[in-house]
Amino acid sequence: MHLDHLHDGPSAVGADARRPDGTRRALRIGLGGPVGSGKTATVAALCRALRDEVALGVVTNDIYTREDAAFLLREAVLPPERIAAVETGACPHTAIRDDISANLEAVEDLEDDTGPLDLVLVESGGDNLTATFSKGLVDAQIFVIDVAGGDDIPRKGGPGVTTADLLVVNKTDLAPYVGSDLARMAADAKAQRAQLPVVFQSLRTEAGVTAVADWVRARLAAWTA
Ligand SMILES: Nc1nc2c(ncn2[C@@H]2O[C@H](COP(=O)(O)OP(=O)(O)OP(=O)(O)O)[C@@H](O)[C@H]2O)c(=O)[nH]1
Ligand SMILES: [Mg+2]
């Protein structure tokens, strides 16, 4: 059991950044956000973009199923042993923020079973705007919203929108069909987040996940520096 996360503080990040043998463990990046915003699609695209450069694994969270892991396995974005699923059985945020033991175990087992990894992506189950990851579980977090969820979401704020290390506004290809004003979303996001970065992306375009992959590369470079 890992109960020390109950007392999260700045020191929680990286406090266990080394394995017992002294080597640096994988950088852990969480992806959270509302149901259906494109978290799994972003994870799949990141795996395709990064898998030839870094050793990476994925942990998915679902409430009652292992659907997201099954999707990633079907799409063969990584070898099967690099994909693990946690069935939370409860609101997703409880397993990524309140009692992270099942997720920590999944992340640690992944590295134990497959050998040292550079990067582990942890996808939360789809939740609401208040869901964020414990700093005892991940080193950085990406919050994924989409334009079809309403262009007032950045203005509404909440910890995901305001504090995530990266805010991704996904499905920009759908903006004309749902009447979402991207300029307004960008202005609201900037007002909520000050200097924190925001990426607008469509996974239906050629650029796809490029900007997010570059952000992950930069985090990895800082982690290993
Ligand atoms: N048009 C469009 N559809 C997208 C885009 N990204 C994802 N989708 C679609 O949106 C749907 C939901 O995507 P997922 O990646 O499963 O979303 P999720 O956030 O993982 O969903 P949950 O895990 O259930 O919360 C799927 O049908 C995707 O193919 C995008 O950029 N544009
Ligand atoms: Mg998903």
Side-chain angles (χ1 to χ4, degrees):
M1 287 289 279
H2 304 269
L3 296 175
D4 48 349
H5 63 275
L6 293 173
H7 308 287
D8 268 357
S11 63
V13 182
D16 59 345
R18 294 199 176 265
R19 304 183 183 99
D21 67 2
T23 56
R24 188 184 288 103
R25 66 157 170 77
L27 173 69
R28 301 168 184 165
I29 297 184
L31 289 96
V35 176
S37 60
K39 297 177 292 298
T40 306
T42 299
V43 167
L46 282 174
C47 289
R48 291 191 182 101
L50 299 170
R51 65 189 172 194
D52 294 335
E53 298 164 34
V54 297
L56 83 159
V58 173
V59 174
T60 64
N61 280 253
D62 272 309
I63 304 179
Y64 301 120
T65 67
R66 291 164 177 249
E67 289 268 340
D68 284 358
F71 174 84
L72 297 173
L73 286 166
R74 267 198 318 277
E75 294 282 307
V77 296
L78 290 178
E81 66 275 13
R82 296 280 189 90
I83 301 171
V86 172
E87 223 175 290
T88 63
C91 287
H93 65 258
T94 57
I96 60 162
R97 191 188 61 203
D98 302 334
D99 179 0
I100 59 173
S101 50
N103 268 290
L104 264 186
E105 231 163 85
V107 172
E108 287 166 2
D109 287 353
L110 203 59
E111 279 214 85
D112 288 347
D113 295 349
T114 63
L117 297 173
D118 303 311
L119 173 67
V120 177
L121 302 174
V122 182
E123 181 191 341
S124 168
D127 208 339
N128 53 42
L129 296 175
T130 65
T132 50
F133 286 83
S134 161
K135 288 181 173 154
L137 176 61
V138 299
D139 306 297
Q141 41 195 310
I142 301 174
F143 200 70
V144 184
I145 60 174
D146 72 282
V147 307
D151 62 7
D152 53 355
I153 296 288
R155 187 164 46 78
K156 286 180 176 170
V161 165
T162 56
T163 68
D165 299 288
L166 178 67
L167 176 68
V168 174
V169 183
N170 191 34
K171 308 191 191 179
T172 52
D173 53 296
L174 297 183
Y177 305 104
V178 295
S180 281
D181 181 344
L182 296 181
R184 175 186 162 180
M185 292 184 90
D188 289 345
K190 184 153 180 46
Q192 292 279 10
R193 293 171 58 74
Q195 301 306 315
L196 288 170
V198 183
V199 165
F200 282 72
Q201 76 172 14
S202 165
L203 296 174
R204 296 284 189 267
T205 63
E206 195 170 328
V209 83
T210 305
V212 179
D214 284 345
W215 181 86
V216 172
R217 285 187 189 98
R219 295 298 300 216
L220 262 172
W223 179 249
T224 51

